[in-house]
Amino acid sequence: MDAASLAWRLWVPRVLGSLVLLALLWVSPLWAPLQRLEHDLLAGFSAPAHPPVGVVVVAIDEASLSSLGLAPPLPRHLHARMLQALAGQGVAAVGWDLLFSAPQTPQDDAVLAQALQGSLPVVLASIDVDVQSTQLQQYRQRVESIFAGARHGNVAMPVDADGVVRRLPDADDAFWRVLAQAAGRKVRAPPPGALLRHYAPEAAVPTVHYVQALDAAQALPPGALRGKIVLVGQDTPVDGVDRLRTPLHVLGEGTQAGVRLHATALANALAGDWVVPAPPAGPWLQALLVLLALALHTRVWRGRSAALWSLVLAGAAVLGSGVAYLAGMWWTALPTLAMLALHLNVGAASSYWQERQGREALRREFAQYLPVPVVDQLVHSGFQHTRSERRELSLLFADLAGFTQASEAMPVQQVADALDAYFSRMTDCVHRHGGTLDKFIGDAVMAFWNAPLPDAAHARNALACALDMQTAMQELRALWRGTPFAQVQLRIGLHTGEAAVGHLGSQARFTYTAVGDAVNTASRLEGANKALGTPILLSGALRDAARAAGWTQPLLWLDTVRLAGRSAGIDVYTPCDDAALADIAQGLRQAVQSGQWAQAQECCAAWRAHGGQGAAPWRAQAERWKHRLQEAEHSGQGGQPLPPTPLDKV
């Protein structure tokens, strides 16, 4: 599957997943509190100053109570005096946010009743209360003042489930509506579901103390109340006594007196300053369009780009919502913000899942090549070492000589069992020495060291693995005793050089492997064992690297050979247990490469004499060199450096 098809295949579930999660969030108990919080933040940060619409609050506050030396409820003859003072100031109307539902003294009630008969328009408070009954489950009862002939307005404020007043009272007998009618002020009918616009506390509704209004002619500037609509009510900081929470609580403001909320509602109505909720489908359509646009833009997922664009779109949604609120419409940004957050998380989760699947696929793939501890290191490093690069590697090729011929006379299953046992032992050897098992090629094994993880002793470990493989091969031949496989020999070629290593292949199939001249050289050295009669053949480059890494066992120089595909010669060595013989061979190497024939003859004689006491392979090598030197001398090459032995056919 190409990248474009994969991007579209991942895009669809990301969009659907975001929509499903948003639907679940919408029906969850979290949605309503989040939406209320959004509204309260908008209301708090955008709260304007109180508009100049001629509304004044007369507050029965602590200062007034202290000056009068009284506690609520105040005597009604003071309220009557208040009405016379306000009438003298030419106010437009007075609204009393006090329930006169029970009588006081006959004198006080009579004085107030007489004051209410004056020409000044007055609206008294009434309220509907829920009544529990043993005969009926529940019913509502209207509580009005004892002054039945007066105008009454319902002072009930709609309170949301969290105890916050956000909505404008919209009943026909709402206190603000009746008061505006009494003052002769026309107001537009608020739209359904209108919300209160709360004003900044530092520039709130104009307020005078109760004691100032009692003596308005002396305590207030001339004309201060003329034409104003006055609301009288209790404004003490005692919670629970006609005090309600407003959206400004998110900014640390406490509760607000009911009389001030009625003044806010009246000011909203007079200024047409309420806030109208947007059509419900609008914000959701916006969220859907934003999701589709962002999902299309990020169909090829890049976490940083997706996060940046999500932040940009979220900022635009918040800014648009704030501008709309100032203009009088609550266009909630919550669906868009929630959609952006959910899409980002779904995308990140999908990306993480894809990455995890990729990492697990890499883990499974590398588990075929490497020991489990090495794979764990790769996983921990985020497979940073698996990118294609050129690196010095120590490479090993191992092949079974005579296996094909032996397998022709054996049943297929027995051949398969023999290969399974062989490959298992060889794999254990490679992993035991920290190597990377590249591949099986027929009955051959390819492995390398120093990739994907760095290995400072890669040449030494490769050589140790080759010796371990030969030991394992002896055990296999013992296991195969009595079958044609008991005569099979293992040949190993080793070389150190630079190669390209990494994930190589096609879009349909790729593998972690190494390619290059160094790989070919190691493979040729494995084949050169046949010509030289050795089980292990290693290059001079690997021998030097192994010694630099601490290899101390003797390595016997055999010859300088020219392999197929190479024009220059390469020194080849094989492990041996005889340090003295290795020194003799090294002397022979220096002599033949420098053209010192007399010294070469002496070293060859010493090798033959020393090899005659040792193993047959070393005696065969001494005889090979004897004939080689004789042929070179007869051909007239004496006194010149000996050219590499051609192994072009190997």
Side-chain angles (χ1 to χ4, degrees), residues 38-48 196 198 247-248 250-251 325:
E38 179 198 7
H39 170 269
D40 294 353
L41 288 171
L42 283 172
F45 284 112
S46 66
L196 284 172
H198 295 269
L248 304 182
V250 296
L251 300 182
Y325 199 90

Side-chain angles (χ1 to χ4, degrees), residues 306-349:
L308 176 62
W309 279 107
S310 296
L311 287 174
V312 169
L313 292 172
V318 170
L319 179 62
S321 180
V323 171
Y325 199 90
L326 289 173
M329 176 177 287
W330 180 31
W331 185 285
T332 173
L334 182 58
T336 299
L337 297 179
M339 182 67 79
L340 289 171
L342 291 171
H343 174 264
L344 185 62
N345 280 275
V346 169

Side-chain angles (χ1 to χ4, degrees), residues 538-541 543-544 547 555-561 569-574 580-597 599-605 607 624-625 628-629 640-644:
L538 57 130
S539 67
R543 177 246 188 198
D544 295 341
R547 285 196 176 279
L555 295 173
L556 181 68
W557 177 81
L558 298 177
D559 204 343
T560 301
V561 301
I570 178 173
D571 288 326
V572 291
Y573 294 79
T574 192
L581 182 59
D583 291 340
I584 294 172
Q586 197 64 21
L588 177 61
R589 171 182 174 272
Q590 295 172 358
V592 298
Q593 290 183 354
S594 61
Q596 299 175 8
W597 284 83
Q599 185 179 349
Q601 294 286 358
E602 292 176 3
C603 290
C604 183
W607 188 334
R624 183 178 65 83
W625 269 108
R628 176 91 185 277
L629 291 174
Q640 298 179 8
L642 196 65

Side-chain angles (χ1 to χ4, degrees), residues 407 410-420 485:
S407 63
M410 301 295 294
V412 174
Q413 187 58 48
Q414 193 168 355
V415 174
D417 293 342
L419 280 175
D420 287 343
F485 296 137

Side-chain angles (χ1 to χ4, degrees), residues 518-542:
V519 179
N520 296 333
T521 299
S523 177
R524 299 286 193 275
L525 287 173
E526 180 273 316
N529 281 288
K530 180 178 181 180
L532 296 176
T534 51
I536 299 175
L537 206 58
L538 57 130
S539 67
L542 187 135

Side-chain angles (χ1 to χ4, degrees), residues 212-229:
Q212 290 179 305
L214 279 176
D215 193 13
Q218 302 298 323
L220 297 176
L225 298 180
R226 184 170 301 280
K228 301 294 194 297
I229 301 177

